[in-house]
Each structure stands twice: as structure tokens, then as C-alpha cells.
Amino acid sequence: MIRRYVLCKKISYKKKKRKAHCYRSPHSVYVSNSQSILVFCSINNLCNQKYRGPQGPQGPQGPQGPQGPPLSDLIPSTNLLYFTFSDGQKRLYTNNDGIAQYGTTEILAPEEASYINLFINGILQPHINYQIQKGSLTLLTEEVPSKGVPIIIQFVLINKEV
């Protein structure tokens, strides 16, 4: 549980009374004026080291928690990957461009897979950047990937087998 402290009151000084300015963060409240900064941290929040005192001794080890439930209700799925490399010019890639030593060389139809993800140079692409049909991938972006950039299509089939 995170506790937040509110401290927005006048702070008295020898010469003048000044109103403090409060700055809230999700875990603490910073109260500042021209002379000082006070930080009130929640119990679960570790404040920046410059606002904390010295660390106390380590407490005793707690008891082991209960065993979690077994993972027997896993949904069977299949993960297929189509790999190719950009030549720096093409927007259309087919089954013939796939590299067999890295995975499958078949581009599945969208209705044959539960999920399809396209990664270009390891970055997940939004669906508006490409179109997949059985046997082909078409890039819809203005620029094509540079030569040698990996292109990976991930096909996830849930409750299906190849």
C-alpha cells in the first residue's frame, strides 16, 4: 500500500512566514521553499539516496510462500517463423524468399493463424505497414528496409497444429 502525505501549510522562519510549495509525485510529496527541501516518502517507496538516512540492518528472512497452482491448463499452440533478409529494393516477399535454415519458408494466409506479427530489424510493425496473403508479404511503407535487414513473420496458431 502506498501512502501519500500532504503537507501544504505555512512554515515559520525567524524573519518571515512563507508558504511552502508542494510537488506531488506518485510516491512522495516534495515541499520546497527558497531555503530547504523536505521529502516525505511512502513506506513502499525508496527515496533518492540524498534524502534518506543511513540504511538499517537487513531483517530476517520471511517464511517460504505457498506453492502456486500447477500450469496444467495451458492452451496448446504452435509458433512458426518465416525469415528473410531485405535486398534494399523489394516490397514484395514470397515463399521463395524464405530462408529454410532459420525457420519455415511458407507464408500462411491470415485465416490460418490466430496471430500474425511482422518484425523488421527486430521491431514489431503496425498492421497498417504491411499486408499478408497466402504465400506473400507486401510492405506498404514509403521506404523499404535497408539491404541485409532481417524480416521475420511470426505466426501463432492457438489450438491448431501444422
Side-chain angles (χ1 to χ4, degrees):
M1 180 172 144
I2 297 175
R3 296 183 184 168
R4 293 187 181 135
Y5 299 95
V6 178
L7 183 61
C8 292
K9 62 181 181 179
K10 290 185 179 181
I11 300 175
S12 296
Y13 295 97
K14 291 180 183 177
K15 295 183 180 179
K16 296 181 183 179
K17 287 187 177 182
R18 294 183 182 219
K19 180 157 174 104
H21 299 284
C22 296
Y23 305 98
R24 292 182 190 214
S25 75
H27 304 294
S28 56
V29 175
Y30 298 87
V31 180
S32 69
N33 58 34
S34 61
Q35 296 180 3
S36 64
I37 295 177
L38 303 172
V39 178
F40 297 89
C41 297
S42 64
I43 292 172
N44 293 337
N45 180 38
L46 297 176
C47 290
N48 192 322
Q49 186 64 36
K50 70 180 183 177
Y51 299 116
R52 292 180 19 209
Q55 186 171 353
Q58 175 86 22
Q61 176 83 22
Q64 174 95 18
Q67 177 75 22
L71 297 175
S72 61
D73 295 336
L74 293 177
I75 298 171
S77 62
T78 304
N79 186 37
L80 301 174
L81 299 173
Y82 167 88
F83 286 87
T84 191
F85 292 97
S86 172
D87 66 356
Q89 298 174 0
K90 290 196 315 190
R91 291 184 192 282
L92 178 65
Y93 293 89
T94 64
N95 290 342
N96 294 336
D97 297 313
I99 301 172
Q101 68 190 34
Y102 293 119
T104 184
T105 59
E106 183 179 356
I107 299 175
L108 301 178
E111 58 272 5
E112 294 178 311
S114 302
Y115 294 98
I116 299 175
N117 294 312
L118 173 66
F119 298 88
I120 297 179
N121 206 19
I123 299 173
L124 180 63
Q125 301 298 304
H127 291 283
I128 61 171
N129 285 357
Y130 62 94
Q131 181 179 14
I132 292 183
Q133 296 175 340
K134 184 163 183 71
S136 70
L137 162 69
T138 305
L139 300 178
L140 304 175
T141 57
E142 289 183 24
E143 296 181 18
V144 295
S146 301
K147 184 176 181 176
V149 167
I151 298 172
I152 303 167
I153 307 173
Q154 178 188 37
F155 300 97
V156 179
L157 290 69
I158 298 175
N159 287 328
K160 297 180 184 179
E161 293 185 19
V162 181

